Amino acid sequence: MIKAKIGDRIDQYARHFIALSPFLTLATADAAGRADCSPRGDYPGFVKVLDERTLALPDRLGNKIADSFRNIAENDGVGLLFFVPGMRETLRVNGSAYVTDDPDVLARMRTEAKAPMLAVVVDVAEVYFHCGRALIRSRLWDPASQALAAELPSAAEMAAEKMNVDPALFEQLLEDGYRKLY
């Protein structure tokens, strides 16, 4: 009975969830099977449903490492996990992917008069909602849990120490990059 919840296309409920999702994780693996999971986020609806079996994710500025692209070139299998803030359940999508610079696909992902240079297109094999137990246990949406972030050094401090650079300079570079997003 549980397997019956797994579909092979994007139905009306999955389409609506994707339209409201501002954040997902993209799991890929290289040819040797070494896995990588990358966060992706933008305004709700940044992932476009091209048809009931196809999704497109814009490539936005990030860490510029390009692990996902390199992995997709070697191994096209991908897994996506969509989140909607405040919603306990998540949406899982598995399939195969490729990177494109097709102008028609990129135009559909234009925001504030700017289209991405590349997109990841996913041919959907499996789609299903995942129960919210992990999010309930984690208290991810509980504002009180967000206080835990104050116990960590900033991302700039951690990276600066690892790279042996001035933390203030690194913090400024991060803030300048974040400001360009808004």
Side-chain angles (χ1 to χ4, degrees):
M1 182 164 120
I2 298 298
K3 293 254 185 206
K5 74 176 186 174
I6 300 173
D8 64 353
R9 55 188 35 106
I10 302 161
D11 66 16
Q12 65 184 9
Y13 304 109
R15 181 182 291 267
H16 193 202
F17 198 96
I18 292 165
L20 296 176
S21 177
F23 181 77
L24 65 91
T25 58
L26 169 64
T28 61
D30 66 14
R34 289 181 296 264
D36 180 66
C37 190
S38 174
R40 302 294 169 117
D42 208 330
Y43 295 106
F46 76 101
V47 174
K48 302 302 181 195
V49 176
L50 302 182
D51 61 48
E52 67 181 7
R53 301 288 305 259
T54 316
L55 298 174
L57 294 75
D59 181 47
R60 303 282 187 221
L61 287 176
N63 63 15
K64 299 181 183 172
I65 296 176
D67 288 332
S68 299
F69 286 171
R70 189 170 34 259
N71 288 348
I72 289 168
E74 294 178 14
N75 174 356
D76 67 357
V78 298
L80 300 106
L81 183 62
F82 288 89
F83 294 81
V84 172
M87 180 82 173
R88 295 178 307 200
E89 291 73 25
T90 56
L91 179 69
R92 294 175 63 167
V93 176
N94 298 312
S96 57
Y98 61 92
V99 178
T100 186
D101 63 355
D102 180 321
D104 293 332
V105 172
L106 300 178
R108 292 181 69 168
M109 291 180 269
R110 180 177 296 282
T111 59
E112 298 169 3
K114 187 172 184 177
M117 294 183 67
L118 296 170
V120 174
V121 175
V122 178
D123 294 322
V124 173
E126 296 180 322
V127 179
Y128 56 99
F129 287 95
H130 195 100
C131 79
R133 289 186 186 108
L135 288 178
I136 292 167
R137 286 190 299 263
S138 73
R139 297 179 180 88
L140 185 65
W141 305 131
D142 181 352
S145 293
Q146 295 169 7
L148 294 171
E151 296 183 24
L152 289 170
S154 73
E157 290 170 318
M158 292 186 275
E161 182 176 326
K162 188 174 220 152
M163 297 166 40
N164 198 26
V165 298
D166 177 18
L169 174 65
F170 205 87
E171 188 75 50
Q172 187 61 51
L173 289 170
L174 282 176
E175 286 305 314
D176 291 347
Y178 292 147
R179 266 194 291 282
K180 289 179 183 177
L181 293 175
Y182 304 106

